[in-house]
Amino acid sequence: MKNKFFGFAAIAIALGMSAFNVPTSKASNKFTTYKWFKIAPGIAQNAQVPASDAMYLGTGTTAPSDPDCDGSTNQCVSGFTTTQVNSSNQLKDDHQVPAQQPELQN
């Protein structure tokens, strides 16, 4: 009887210990932070944005809304990664393609 008790106790302890361990394969719920810019009219989707045609709006995981963004053809509000933007919150050069383009204009 004692052998069975110790066996059940060992199983209970093992189950209890595994219940408090986080699996290593669990997906992360992190969001990507972008530098958001208002893009001048006429810049096509997925096209490089000249630095002079991008006005900094802010940093965040979601794009700021803009009432001028009501189309489906050209970039309006686009997100860039921190590696595409300099410390003055300007695009590093005229060859940056946005990482995100959630709002478009005609």
Side-chain angles (χ1 to χ4, degrees):
M1 183 73 176
K2 285 185 179 182
N3 286 341
K4 288 183 181 178
F5 174 75
F6 288 123
F8 287 127
I11 291 172
I13 291 172
L15 288 173
M17 296 295 285
S18 67
F20 296 106
N21 291 332
V22 177
T24 56
S25 64
K26 187 166 181 127
S28 174
N29 289 335
K30 294 182 180 178
F31 294 98
T32 302
T33 299
Y34 294 103
K35 301 274 188 169
W36 297 102
F37 289 81
K38 169 78 181 240
I39 307 301
I43 307 294
Q45 291 183 51
N46 301 314
Q48 296 176 351
V49 177
S52 61
D53 289 339
M55 182 181 72
Y56 181 69
L57 297 175
T59 301
T61 56
T62 58
S65 63
D66 189 306
D68 296 334
C69 301
D70 58 358
S72 60
T73 307
N74 296 317
Q75 296 180 43
C76 187
V77 173
S78 297
F80 296 84
T81 63
T82 56
T83 60
Q84 296 175 290
V85 179
N86 64 25
S87 60
S88 299
N89 289 321
Q90 298 171 337
L91 296 181
K92 286 187 174 179
D93 55 41
D94 292 339
H95 306 290
Q96 300 302 321
V97 176
Q100 291 290 317
Q101 300 170 52
E103 296 199 30
L104 302 174
Q105 61 189 341
N106 288 327

